Amino acid sequence: MGTNIELNQIKTRQVDLSVIGMTCSSCVSTVERSLNKIPGVRAAVNLAMESAHVIAPFNISEKELISAVTSVGYQATAFKGERESFERSNRLGIRLSITFLLTVPVILISMFDSWHNQIGARLLSVIDSLNILLADNGQKFIISYPNAPITTWLLISLSVPVVFILAWPIHRSAIKNLTHPTMDTLVSLGSLVSLSWSIYSASTYITKDNMMPTIYAEVSSAIIFFVMLGRYLEHRAKRKAGSALAELFKLSAGTVEVKRGNSTSVISIDDLIVGDLFVVKPGDSIPTDGQVVSGFSTINNSFLTGEATPVEVAINDLVFAGSINNNGNLIVKASRIGSDTELARITRMVLAAQSEKAPAQQLADRVSRVFVPIVLLLSISTFLAWYLTGTALAQSIATAVAVLVIACPCALGLATPIALLVASGKAAKGGIIIRSPKSIEKAVGITDVVFDKTGTLTTGQMLLLEMVLIDNPLTTESTAISTSELMSYALSIESLDSHPIALAITSALSKQGIEPFTVTDFEHTSGVGVAARVHPIGSSSSKAVLIGSPVSIARSTTEFSPKLTAAIEAAKTRANSVAVLAIDGLAYGVFEVGDQVKPESKDAINRLHAAQLNTWLVTGDGETAAISMGTQVGIPIDHIFASASPSDKLEFVSSLQEKGKVLMIGDGINDAAAIAQSDLSIAMGSGTDTAIAAADITLIRPSLIAALDAMAISRKTTKIIKSNLIWAFLYNIVCIPVAASGNLAPMYAAGAMSLSSLFVVINSLRIK
């Protein structure tokens, strides 16, 4: 008996392919359909990126996926990750130049009768000269004049290499997609029909009343030229559109200088392993994520955060692939390599977002699937309508060809992905990762913004904010301890503790150059504090040192001095934590530790209020801390809710959704449920993976101003997408009837078709 395996139980992996040769959304549908026929494969193809984002079972090789793409007439290669730029060229520029040189004479000769006659006379004189030369050499062979004017054959001769050779990629794509017609089908048919009729008309021409043969050689070559020109300009514009993302791909280094023993050597980044020590010199890009083990420098993390302000790094600090080392030599221990780096994670998120279909694009794709077949039927119907009502065969064919080439599913196919390409690239450069096209559309109509406190409105890091030290509580000589010694006592035992308060005190004192003393009998009591015997340098005796909460320390010491008591009360009013230092039963100091409001939080809240958005603070912290932080940034006190559990946050968001659309901004596991419930969600990149996975937008730059920037980009992109789609639909609705009415020559129809796609790309570049 066989075992049924659920599809969602099969282990899968992400594969990104570069796809060359797609020209419209029909091509996208063809490639997607071919890939999705493979069992277990889910593929999303992006026209603007010329890529396929594939989720495939491990037993499906890249070769099989590539074969599925090539089988339907397109080229595919494995996407190499962040070191491969999608700025590829398929020699379109060279083919365009040759096509231009051959097509321009065809168009000019066709437009000017005087050129027709002059060139014809010269060609006939050349034939006469050749015949005389043959006769003088005793040859009986004579070159005859063609029945049709000789310039007719010149135009056809110039058009043949354009249509049959230079346009071969278009015809090849059309042939391979006979069952699923694409834009190339329309262009191929239009050029071939025009040239074939021209050859037939010239071959069967009989001189009668000095009438010229009706040919459309200029139409056949002009169609190809304008299509190539449009695609070339579109290709250039798409490269510009994706320039920000291309910069992201280029950040990863190809080589790395590894330190092994007393020597260094340069190796490929692919040969680096976790734990290797590598050297980063001033001005170099950091090749992979790691921890500094030697050196001091400033780092430019602008690719990661969007902020150009240098960040100081020293021993034990983390650095990330793609960052620039401004000054100072660093030796770094590799902690994450290859696809595990932060740069690779950001790149995957951006590529995945661009490969997903937005709701608006799904509508365009459905239209595009039937668009080309409908245009083919309209073209045939146009020909029959004109011919059967007595119109000349040549004119009927020309009108039908105009219908073929005026239609443009390219604009429909590019309307959404090119805008998403620009938006996600610009956002990524500013430290904003838009995870899904749907996220962009969600940003419109937000009425309420709900904030978590820690890590969102605040830095999320415990810092030593105030330090009050008394060198002699009893004013007796035996109890006097200098300020520097008091800090050494505090550092000595706090450096052995892992509590956030201890870490904050240790970090602050270490930066001041304080040196610790020798410690014995260290003891940590959870919820109380730490205690130990500390041996000062140069002294044979030791002292009993305690650091802990005011309540716990008060039990073991004499009464606190008024100065220390005042410091403790002041810290409590600010909702900060307090640690008291006691030595041999006397309280010598108070350390106030707490989180800080981010400098830009107040400005961000004010800008939200100016935009008529309601702001709310919902936090798991106590009421005092919540009100203190909330009112500092400008959130109304009646919009502040403290001691909220994850379920409370979820219910709060749900209640707001009864009246409007909610944006939730948070960073912790306790925010994940509310983030998932909200209409639009933003997670701080410094937060937990759970919150990031649930959010629509992730801020690698942990700033609320970045959240406002994300919303602005989303709203702008939504407007651009709508205008692109409106243009694409209106263009076809208006232009196809004009072509069918016989009021638009095929050559001009080809030009209009190319311009329609170019308009969509240029319009998308307005996103900032």
Side-chain angles (χ1 to χ4, degrees):
M1 181 176 178
T3 303
N4 293 325
I5 301 176
E6 295 292 335
L7 186 61
N8 58 13
Q9 294 178 334
I10 300 175
K11 292 186 177 180
T12 59
R13 73 190 194 286
Q14 174 181 319
V15 180
D16 291 300
L17 301 177
S18 300
V19 183
I20 300 175
M22 298 186 297
T23 58
C24 66
S25 53
S26 295
C27 301
V28 170
S29 298
T30 299
V31 176
E32 281 184 349
R33 191 162 38 240
S34 181
L35 286 168
N36 288 328
K37 283 181 181 178
I38 302 174
V41 169
R42 302 191 307 277
V45 178
N46 187 296
L47 177 60
M49 283 283 294
E50 296 179 312
S51 66
H53 180 73
V54 184
I55 303 299
F58 276 97
N59 64 329
I60 302 296
S61 66
E62 283 187 354
K63 187 176 180 180
E64 290 177 86
L65 298 174
I66 291 172
S67 296
V69 177
T70 56
S71 68
V72 290
Y74 303 91
Q75 300 176 48
T77 56
F79 190 80
K80 302 301 181 185
E82 56 267 22
R83 294 201 303 278
E84 179 188 41
S85 169
F86 57 85
E87 297 177 24
R88 300 179 302 269
S89 171
N90 56 1
R91 298 187 178 89
L92 184 57
I94 297 174
R95 287 195 292 122
L96 175 64
S97 299
I98 299 173
T99 302
F100 174 78
L101 293 175
L102 294 172
T103 301
V104 169
V106 174
I107 294 174
L108 293 177
I109 294 171
S110 301
M111 290 175 62
F112 300 105
D113 288 338
S114 59
W115 287 31
H116 231 291
N117 297 330
Q118 292 174 18
I119 293 173
R122 290 186 181 183
L123 290 175
L124 291 176
S125 67
V126 170
I127 293 176
D128 291 339
S129 299
L130 289 173
N131 284 331
I132 293 171
L133 182 62
L134 289 171
D136 290 344
N137 286 279
Q139 301 294 325
K140 295 182 179 180
F141 176 73
I142 298 174
I143 302 174
S144 302
Y145 292 168
N147 287 337
I150 193 167
T151 48
T152 298
W153 287 107
L154 174 63
L155 299 180
I156 291 173
S157 299
L158 291 172
S159 298
V160 165
V162 172
V163 175
F164 289 109
I165 299 176
L166 296 168
W168 170 242
I170 295 174
H171 302 314
R172 180 180 58 197
S173 175
I175 292 169
K176 289 196 173 184
N177 288 289
L178 283 176
T179 56
H180 303 289
T182 67
M183 183 67 202
D184 285 338
T185 307
L186 303 181
V187 174
S188 177
L189 275 177
S191 61
L192 290 174
V193 169
S194 300
L195 185 57
S196 299
W197 169 258
S198 299
I199 295 172
Y200 170 79
S201 179
S203 300
T204 59
Y205 175 73
I206 299 176
T207 304
K208 183 179 180 181
D209 300 329
N210 292 322
M211 291 182 63
M212 296 289 290
T214 306
I215 68 167
Y216 294 105
E218 79 280 3
V219 170
S220 61
S221 55
I223 288 171
I224 300 301
F225 171 70
F226 282 124
V227 168
M228 283 189 184
L229 177 62
R231 289 181 183 176
Y232 177 73
L233 294 175
E234 180 185 308
H235 178 72
R236 292 287 299 272
K238 283 195 291 187
R239 282 169 53 180
K240 183 178 180 182
S243 60
L245 191 56
E247 290 176 16
L248 187 65
F249 292 151
K250 292 175 181 176
L251 285 172
S252 182
T255 59
V256 57
E257 184 177 350
V258 177
K259 183 178 177 62
R260 289 171 177 164
N262 295 323
S263 62
T264 62
S265 59
V266 177
I267 63 172
S268 168
I269 189 68
D270 296 327
D271 296 329
L272 189 71
I273 61 175
V274 172
D276 273 345
L277 298 180
F278 59 89
V279 180
V280 187
K281 297 176 181 177
D284 286 353
S285 172
I286 295 173
T288 196
D289 295 357
Q291 187 174 32
V292 177
V293 297
S294 176
F296 174 85
S297 184
T298 59
I299 298 294
N300 183 343
N301 280 332
S302 59
F303 92 93
L304 186 68
T305 64
E307 295 286 352
T309 305
V311 177
E312 291 185 351
V313 294
I315 295 174
N316 295 328
D317 286 337
L318 297 177
V319 292
F320 301 96
S323 297
I324 304 298
N325 180 21
N326 290 331
N327 46 52
N329 281 294
L330 295 176
I331 297 178
V332 183
K333 183 178 181 180
S335 59
R336 293 187 296 188
I337 59 175
S339 60
D340 295 329
T341 65
E342 188 70 10
L343 175 61
R345 183 174 77 99
I346 293 171
T347 303
R348 284 197 302 272
M349 291 167 69
V350 174
L351 286 175
Q354 291 182 340
S355 298
E356 186 178 327
K357 303 286 186 181
Q361 182 62 26
Q362 292 171 0
L363 170 62
D365 285 349
R366 287 195 294 270
V367 172
S368 295
R369 289 191 191 102
V370 298
F371 183 87
V372 175
I374 289 174
V375 170
L376 289 171
L377 290 175
L378 284 174
S379 181
I380 294 170
S381 301
T382 299
F383 169 77
L384 293 174
W386 282 87
Y387 184 66
L388 294 177
T389 54
T391 304
L393 179 60
Q395 180 61 35
S396 300
I397 290 175
T399 307
V401 168
V403 172
L404 282 176
V405 298
I406 194 70
C408 188
C410 303
L412 278 174
L414 286 170
T416 298
I418 198 69
L420 291 175
L421 173 64
V422 178
S424 57
K426 294 285 178 68
K429 197 172 181 180
I432 302 165
I433 305 300
I434 300 173
R435 296 177 58 88
S436 163
K438 294 177 183 177
S439 309
I440 288 177
E441 296 186 8
K442 289 178 181 179
V444 178
I446 294 294
T447 58
D448 296 86
V449 182
V450 178
F451 294 94
D452 175 45
K453 181 182 77 68
T454 305
T456 303
L457 291 177
T458 67
T459 62
Q461 296 180 340
M462 298 294 279
L463 299 173
L464 178 60
L465 304 178
E466 294 285 344
M467 178 172 59
V468 177
L469 298 176
I470 300 176
D471 56 9
N472 195 346
L474 300 181
T475 66
T476 61
E477 184 176 348
S478 61
T479 58
I481 302 176
S482 69
T483 300
S484 61
E485 282 186 304
L486 289 174
M487 289 191 284
S488 290
Y489 280 117
L491 177 62
S492 299
I493 63 172
E494 288 291 67
S495 62
L496 301 178
D497 193 10
S498 59
H499 190 279
I501 294 177
L503 294 176
I505 294 173
T506 299
S507 176
L509 296 179
S510 297
K511 288 180 179 179
Q512 294 185 44
I514 303 301
E515 295 292 335
F517 297 144
T518 302
V519 176
T520 59
D521 302 326
F522 177 81
E523 183 179 352
H524 171 90
T525 304
S526 181
V528 176
V530 291
R533 301 293 303 183
V534 179
H535 305 263
I537 297 174
S539 174
S540 58
S541 62
S542 64
K543 293 183 179 293
V545 180
L546 305 174
I547 294 185
S549 66
V551 173
S552 63
I553 298 299
R555 298 193 189 105
S556 306
T557 63
T558 59
E559 185 178 351
F560 296 164
S561 70
K563 187 176 181 180
L564 296 183
T565 301
I568 293 170
E569 293 303 318
K572 288 181 178 179
T573 60
R574 291 188 286 265
N576 290 325
S577 301
V578 177
V580 177
L581 168 67
I583 301 174
D584 288 344
L586 294 176
Y588 280 86
V590 168
F591 298 90
E592 181 181 346
V593 176
D595 201 355
Q596 280 188 312
V597 171
K598 293 178 180 177
E600 75 280 359
S601 292
K602 185 174 180 61
D603 180 41
I605 298 297
N606 290 338
R607 286 166 61 176
L608 289 172
H609 290 165
Q612 305 300 311
L613 296 177
N614 300 314
T615 58
W616 308 81
L617 174 59
V618 183
T619 176
D621 287 358
E623 185 176 12
T624 302
I627 292 175
S628 174
M629 294 296 185
T631 52
Q632 277 187 59
V633 299
I635 296 177
I637 193 168
D638 58 340
H639 282 203
I640 298 173
F641 294 86
S643 304
S645 66
S647 59
D648 292 334
K649 293 184 178 184
L650 175 63
E651 291 175 8
F652 184 81
V653 169
S654 299
S655 66
L656 289 179
Q657 286 176 317
E658 295 176 2
K659 301 177 183 178
K661 290 182 69 175
V662 179
L663 163 62
M664 174 71 192
I665 305 178
D667 76 329
I669 292 176
N670 60 342
D671 301 318
I675 281 175
Q677 172 65 31
S678 61
D679 297 287
L680 175 67
S681 53
I682 296 178
M684 295 294 173
S686 56
T688 64
D689 289 341
T690 306
I692 292 172
D696 297 309
I697 297 172
T698 299
L699 303 182
I700 304 301
R701 168 166 54 113
S703 163
L704 288 183
I705 299 300
L708 300 180
D709 293 342
M711 293 177 66
I713 289 175
S714 298
R715 288 193 293 267
K716 180 73 171 179
T717 304
T718 301
K719 290 180 181 178
I720 293 294
I721 289 174
K722 288 180 179 178
S723 64
N724 282 348
L725 288 172
I726 290 171
W727 163 261
F729 280 112
L730 285 180
Y731 164 83
N732 286 291
I733 290 171
V734 172
C735 290
I736 291 177
V738 171
S741 68
N743 292 312
L744 192 64
M747 183 169 64
Y748 299 121
M753 181 269 293
S754 298
L755 287 174
S756 67
S757 297
L758 189 60
F759 170 84
V760 167
V761 178
I762 293 175
N763 187 46
S764 298
L765 290 174
R766 297 191 299 115
I767 298 173
K768 295 181 180 179

